[in-house]
């Protein structure tokens, strides 16, 4: 196995990570991005952003390929300190191919208030599969945090991590990033709407019909 076996996947992760930073969803080296690697005759692996490397200086070859024990298979740096969160999601969600975790501003407001974002807009049901729930608190980097976030995710595409940030999952990297962009937007909208005292979620019937589109697109069982 050469040291550049997965360079195209590492490049793809680095590009999305730099984009995530460029649009302001993270700063310095906070947050992280990963891509599932599932190949025949290989244990399950992931390509993930490294620990402590600022995005302005992130190179394609800085992305780490590691197994689910977090042993490095390819790359020179240590995998993200939040890698267990990614492993936990890949283990519990077969439909997920990529994960983006942000410390974005408005998402973090929800992480502080602990308030679930109800389904306020059609695109939330279609693209996220329902409301954005908030996980119970757990210490960063732990399996407990991964478990709590998976519980908050359910079969939806995004969740708020209590006192921490947000996570979005997708079939590919672009979809996972778009989920985080949408979470940030609806967190902002929810905060603004709450100030007016007029938060009007969609009806249960509409949410059910629109989230069926989400489940169909992602190959999830219909409810
Ligand atoms: Zn984080």
């Amino acid at each position: 196995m050469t040291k550049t076996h997965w360079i195209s996947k590492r490049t793809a992760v680095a590009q999305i990570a730099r984009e995530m930073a460029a649009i302001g969803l993270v700063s310095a080296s906070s947050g992280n991005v990963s891509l599932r690697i599932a190949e025949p005759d290989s244990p399950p692996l992931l390509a993930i952003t490294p620990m402590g490397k600022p995005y302005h200086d992130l190179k394609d070859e800085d992305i780490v390929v590691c197994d689910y024990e977090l042993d490095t298979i390819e790359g020179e740096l240590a995998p993200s300190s939040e890698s267990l969160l990614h492993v936990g999601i890949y283990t519990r969600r077969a439909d997920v191919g990529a994960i983006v975790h942000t410390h974005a501003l408005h998402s973090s407001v929800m992480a502080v208030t602990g308030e679930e974002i109800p389904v306020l807009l059609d695109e939330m049901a279609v693209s996220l599969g329902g409301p954005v729930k908030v996980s119970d608190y757990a210490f960063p980097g732990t399996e407990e945090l991964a478990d709590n976030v998976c519980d908050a995710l359910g079969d939806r595409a995004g969740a708020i991590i209590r006192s921490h940030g947000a996570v979005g999952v997708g079939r590919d990297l672009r979809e996972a990033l778009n989920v985080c962009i949408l979470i940030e937007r609806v967190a902002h909208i929810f905060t603004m709407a709450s100030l007016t005292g007029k938060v009007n979620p969609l009806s249960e019937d509409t949410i059910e019909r629109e989230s069926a589109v989400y489940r169909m697109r992602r190959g999830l069982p219909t409810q």
Side-chain angles (χ1 to χ4, degrees):
M1 188 181 301
T2 71
K3 295 294 279 182
T4 56
H5 185 71
W6 287 292
I7 192 62
S8 65
K9 294 187 187 302
R10 294 163 75 192
T11 297
V13 169
Q15 284 177 344
I16 289 292
R18 286 190 290 263
E19 194 172 325
M20 171 180 73
I23 60 180
L25 296 181
V26 292
S27 59
S29 63
S30 68
N32 28 74
V33 174
S34 78
L35 179 64
R36 186 200 292 269
I37 301 177
E39 293 183 350
D41 305 320
S42 168
L45 305 172
L46 64 158
I48 189 164
T49 42
M51 188 188 301
K53 185 81 187 260
Y55 293 103
H56 74 266
D57 194 31
L58 184 72
K59 298 175 180 61
D60 296 354
E61 57 268 30
D62 291 333
I63 304 303
V64 183
V65 174
C66 64
D67 61 22
Y68 284 10
E69 305 298 317
L70 309 188
D71 291 325
T72 298
I73 307 295
E74 192 172 291
E76 304 297 325
L77 303 176
S80 164
S81 60
E82 294 172 321
S83 294
L84 284 179
L85 169 64
H86 296 247
V87 169
I89 294 172
Y90 288 131
T91 302
R92 283 174 57 166
R93 287 281 299 269
D95 61 305
V96 171
I99 300 167
V100 172
H101 161 51
T102 77
H103 290 184
L105 179 65
H106 300 287
S107 304
S108 297
V109 172
M110 296 299 111
V112 170
T113 65
E115 248 187 301
E116 169 181 322
I117 308 173
V119 183
L120 304 168
L121 303 168
D122 292 316
E123 61 182 316
M124 278 186 75
V126 172
S127 299
L128 305 181
V132 182
K133 301 196 175 203
V134 183
S135 65
D136 290 338
Y137 182 80
F139 199 79
T142 61
E143 281 185 37
E144 184 188 8
L145 183 134
D147 287 341
N148 291 356
V149 171
C150 284
D151 288 345
L153 262 179
D155 68 356
R156 292 173 301 281
I160 299 291
I161 307 174
R162 185 69 197 244
S163 307
H164 189 137
V167 66
V169 302
R171 288 164 293 184
D172 55 37
L173 286 160
R174 175 65 55 192
E175 188 170 61
L177 179 62
N178 285 342
V179 165
C180 286
I181 292 169
L182 180 55
I183 293 172
E184 179 64 358
R185 200 162 77 81
V186 295
H188 193 177
I189 290 166
F190 182 52
T191 305
M192 299 294 284
S194 296
L195 291 175
T196 71
K198 295 176 184 170
V199 175
N200 296 307
L202 297 182
S203 72
E204 284 301 321
D205 177 60
T206 302
I207 293 169
E208 197 170 307
R209 286 164 59 197
E210 291 180 343
S211 58
V213 175
Y214 162 85
R215 286 195 293 277
M216 185 187 67
R217 282 180 183 167
R218 294 201 175 208
L220 292 163
T222 50
Q223 290 177 340

